[in-house]
Amino acid sequence: MRMVGRVASDHERDQLAAQLMTLPVNELVDVLRRVLPQYTEEGNGLRTSLVLATATEYEDEPDGIDVTLVAWPDRDYYDGGLGPDQGLWEDGDCGKCGTEVSSNAKRAFCPVCGSGCGLT
Ligand SMILES: [Zn+2]
């Protein structure tokens, strides 16, 4: 359950955002991995997760947008590291829940069900 603290000012949120914008994408993902799951809501037979996603638009397919959820790198597999410092180029489907995911890492965890995913 998320602990709700005091309300931050616009200035404080700007400062936090400016700090986050200095991070490479794999470090930003690692920060959000620590934050977004705290906003999961459960009850009445459902669970809603706050996740990070990518949306890819194609110039030659104006109606086609691919949305994939960003999977969290398997830090144990990378000896405590975050996986390669590259874009979110590794893709695949979660073997457990079938959600399409992408990550900077080939070994990552599904942000919905937490299952390990092997991406290519
Ligand atoms: Zn899953």
Side-chain angles (χ1 to χ4, degrees):
M1 181 58 80
R2 181 166 64 105
M3 301 296 288
V4 178
R6 66 183 178 80
V7 176
S9 68
D10 269 342
H11 177 67
E12 289 168 321
R13 291 193 301 274
D14 279 346
Q15 285 183 317
L16 186 56
Q19 210 176 347
L20 291 174
M21 283 190 283
T22 66
L23 299 176
V25 73
N26 63 344
E27 291 186 23
L28 175 65
V29 167
D30 185 57
V31 171
L32 295 176
R33 178 188 63 81
R34 300 161 195 235
V35 175
L36 299 185
Q38 305 305 312
Y39 292 79
T40 297
E41 300 205 6
E42 289 184 81
N44 298 322
L46 55 83
R47 182 166 65 94
T48 302
S49 308
L50 187 58
V51 296
L52 182 65
T54 63
T56 304
E57 298 175 74
Y58 300 92
E59 283 180 11
D60 55 352
E61 286 179 51
D63 298 331
I65 298 175
D66 283 344
V67 176
T68 68
L69 305 190
V70 176
W72 315 124
D74 180 345
R75 298 198 59 179
D76 287 340
Y77 181 79
Y78 294 101
D79 293 325
L82 303 176
D85 179 12
Q86 61 175 8
L88 302 169
W89 309 133
E90 308 294 347
D91 289 305
D93 294 327
C94 173
K96 187 175 176 191
C97 73
T99 299
E100 192 173 345
V101 295
S102 60
S103 180
N104 64 292
K106 289 184 182 295
R107 293 278 300 266
F109 292 108
C110 173
V112 179
C113 74
S115 179
C117 302
L119 308 177
T120 54

